[in-house]
């Protein structure tokens, strides 16, 4: 349930106290997202290098693969397009697993997930 998962992530981000001195950027959000997922016991791999670039995060389960690209103050569509353009999913095409491409945009103004887009590959 991707919508539910993102709702939980957004709730956790919303619970982080505001601090004027805290400088939020893509790396900050990426790190917090990774920590939440890892602490939840999911097999997250961050900053995975492949032949065409660096995948922000991959969750590889028994029957599914989730490929994440994070952006900050841009758009979820830009993030999703980067996954497709750089073929981050290519190495999983013959794994027999369902592949989900997920672009997430964070907002420094909202200090949270602004939007996400996903695409399921068969």
């Amino acid at each position: 349930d991707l919508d539910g998962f993102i709702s939980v992530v957004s709730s956790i981000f919303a619970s982080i106290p505001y601090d004027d001195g805290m400088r939020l950027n893509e790396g900050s959000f990426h790190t917090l997202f990774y920590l939440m997922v890892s602490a939840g016991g999911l097999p997250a791999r961050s900053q995975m290098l492949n032949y065409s670039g660096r995948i922000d995060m991959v969750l590889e389960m028994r029957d599914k693969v989730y490929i994440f690209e994070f952006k900050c103050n841009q758009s979820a569509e830009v993030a999703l397009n980067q996954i497709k353009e750089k073929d981050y999913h290519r190495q999983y095409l013959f794994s027999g697993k369902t592949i989900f491409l997920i672009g997430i945009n964070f907002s420094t103004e909202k200090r949270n997930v602004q939007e996400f887009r996903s695409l399921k590959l068969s």
Side-chain angles (χ1 to χ4, degrees):
D1 175 20
L2 193 53
D3 289 324
F5 173 72
I6 296 296
S7 290
V8 169
V9 168
S10 293
S11 290
I12 293 170
F13 274 114
S15 71
I16 298 171
Y18 178 76
D19 178 359
D20 278 335
M22 184 183 231
R23 298 255 188 250
L24 292 176
N25 58 34
E26 183 181 319
S28 307
F29 287 112
H30 181 149
T31 300
L32 291 169
F33 193 95
Y34 172 78
L35 289 172
M36 281 187 270
V37 170
S38 294
L42 296 173
R45 291 181 293 167
S46 185
Q47 299 294 329
M48 253 184 74
L49 295 174
N50 78 356
Y51 76 97
S52 65
R54 185 182 349 230
I55 305 169
D56 281 345
M57 193 167 80
V58 174
L59 290 176
E60 189 170 0
M61 314 296 251
R62 184 176 47 81
D63 58 345
K64 297 176 185 79
V65 177
Y66 299 89
I67 299 172
F68 292 86
E69 179 63 32
F70 304 117
K71 295 295 178 195
C72 190
N73 300 325
Q74 293 184 48
S75 76
E77 198 63 37
V78 167
L80 188 59
N81 285 338
Q82 182 174 329
I83 297 170
K84 292 186 287 189
E85 289 167 8
K86 293 197 175 237
D87 281 336
Y88 288 163
H89 57 285
R90 181 175 292 264
Q91 68 196 69
Y92 301 101
L93 287 177
F94 298 102
S95 67
K97 300 178 181 189
T98 303
I99 302 168
F100 295 89
L101 312 180
I102 304 163
I104 298 179
N105 184 57
F106 297 100
S107 165
T108 54
E109 183 180 331
K110 290 184 176 184
R111 305 174 68 76
N112 210 321
V113 174
Q114 182 174 11
E115 63 175 339
F116 79 97
R117 297 278 183 269
S118 65
L119 176 65
K120 178 182 175 182
L121 304 179
S122 300

